[in-house]
Amino acid sequence: DSGVTQTPKHLITATGQRVTLRCSPRSGDLSVYWYQQSLDQGLQFLIQYYNGEERAKGNILERFSAQQFPDLHSELNLSSLELGDSALYFCASSVASVGLYNEQFFGPGTRLTVL
Amino acid sequence: TQLLEQSPQFLSIQEGENLTVYCNSSSVFSSLQWYRQEPGEGPVLLVTVVTGGEVKKLKRLTFQFGDARKDSSLHITAAQPGDTGLYLCAGPLIYNQGGKLIFGQGTELSVKP
């Protein structure tokens, strides 16, 4: 158990819908990261928040947005869903924003299926 | 184009055999992490290597970071069925903004009893 929690575990929805994925970081961690894992693309970085502020952005679609709240939990919002958005979405957390030993610990993931 | 190339992509061996997984890049990384992932679960951090030329051992697993910090390897001695899983290398590029990790595509290891 990494200490990172994600809900829900599974999500099945239809094209065009909007969903929210939730992540709680390990106690004491200030950074939260979101990654998408699909069979053809592997693990891809989406976005990072540090202590409530956006710190780094990957190839995150405009239909996707995220935020980190004062209690440090984070939410990833996916809207106008398409079939191709079906994937595993992982949240990771770390103590700092950057650093040589800024190790990231991953949650169990949310499996999103868009029908 | 994959920034971190892992090889081989698939490996099926018998219990007791040795194996090496490679992670190569033309870019310099601040550090390299190795993760192991089981189906439907999140990646689990195995080790972080930071210094060029660094070697770290974790029981039967040996990790090495290249001198130029562009490549890494994972060697498993006397593999066991419990070693089965997806092995991923990942790291932050030296010129990274934030803590973004670049992942290799993974090596799927199957150890048969």
Side-chain angles (χ1 to χ4, degrees):
Chain A
D1 185 352
S2 67
V4 179
T5 60
Q6 286 187 250
T7 55
K9 180 77 173 164
H10 301 278
L11 203 45
I12 302 174
T13 188
T15 54
Q17 294 298 304
R18 173 190 167 94
V19 297
T20 298
L21 313 184
R22 184 189 166 103
C23 166
S24 291
R26 292 187 320 159
S27 177
D29 285 358
L30 297 178
S31 266
V32 168
Y33 310 79
W34 287 98
Y35 292 86
Q36 179 192 58
Q37 187 176 36
S38 58
L39 282 173
D40 56 341
Q41 294 286 326
L43 263 162
Q44 300 285 321
F45 169 76
L46 294 177
I47 197 162
Q48 175 194 2
Y49 278 83
Y50 175 76
N51 205 20
E53 292 191 9
E54 183 184 302
R55 193 51 63 102
K57 216 167 182 174
N59 294 327
I60 187 168
L61 298 171
E62 282 191 19
R63 301 184 285 108
F64 295 3
S65 66
Q67 53 185 327
Q68 186 179 28
F69 294 87
D71 68 351
L72 300 176
H73 91 271
S74 178
E75 292 181 357
L76 179 67
N77 299 296
L78 315 176
S79 61
S80 303
L81 285 167
E82 302 175 359
L83 295 177
D85 298 327
S86 295
L88 270 166
Y89 290 84
F90 289 105
C91 167
S93 74
S94 68
V95 171
S97 172
V98 292
L100 291 179
Y101 284 103
N102 190 34
E103 295 169 331
Q104 295 181 27
F105 296 88
F106 282 74
T110 293
R111 181 175 292 279
L112 173 66
T113 303
V114 182
L115 301 175
Chain B
T1 314
Q2 197 78 21
L3 271 174
L4 267 176
E5 293 281 350
Q6 274 188 249
S7 61
Q9 278 192 270
F10 301 95
L11 197 48
S12 180
I13 60 172
Q14 293 295 129
E15 183 176 1
E17 290 184 19
N18 300 333
L19 67 114
T20 302
V21 176
Y22 299 93
C23 181
N24 293 298
S25 178
S26 56
S27 300
V28 178
F29 285 80
S30 304
S31 62
L32 241 297
Q33 284 87 55
W34 284 91
Y35 290 85
R36 181 165 158 259
Q37 185 179 20
E38 306 251 7
E41 297 181 12
V44 175
L45 180 65
L46 297 175
V47 80
T48 297
V49 285
V50 171
T51 309
E54 183 176 0
V55 176
K56 272 191 177 175
K57 291 193 175 185
L58 219 74
K59 298 183 184 178
R60 295 177 292 100
L61 277 59
T62 302
F63 304 86
Q64 187 160 7
F65 200 13
D67 290 341
R69 291 186 293 159
K70 293 182 179 182
D71 55 88
S72 181
S73 64
L74 156 61
H75 182 80
I76 301 180
T77 305
Q80 297 176 1
D83 295 327
T84 294
L86 178 68
Y87 288 83
L88 296 155
C89 63
L93 288 166
I94 199 155
Y95 54 80
N96 244 14
Q97 204 173 8
K100 163 185 175 178
L101 287 180
I102 305 293
F103 276 85
Q105 71 270 49
T107 294
E108 190 76 57
L109 172 65
S110 172
V111 183
K112 299 185 188 328

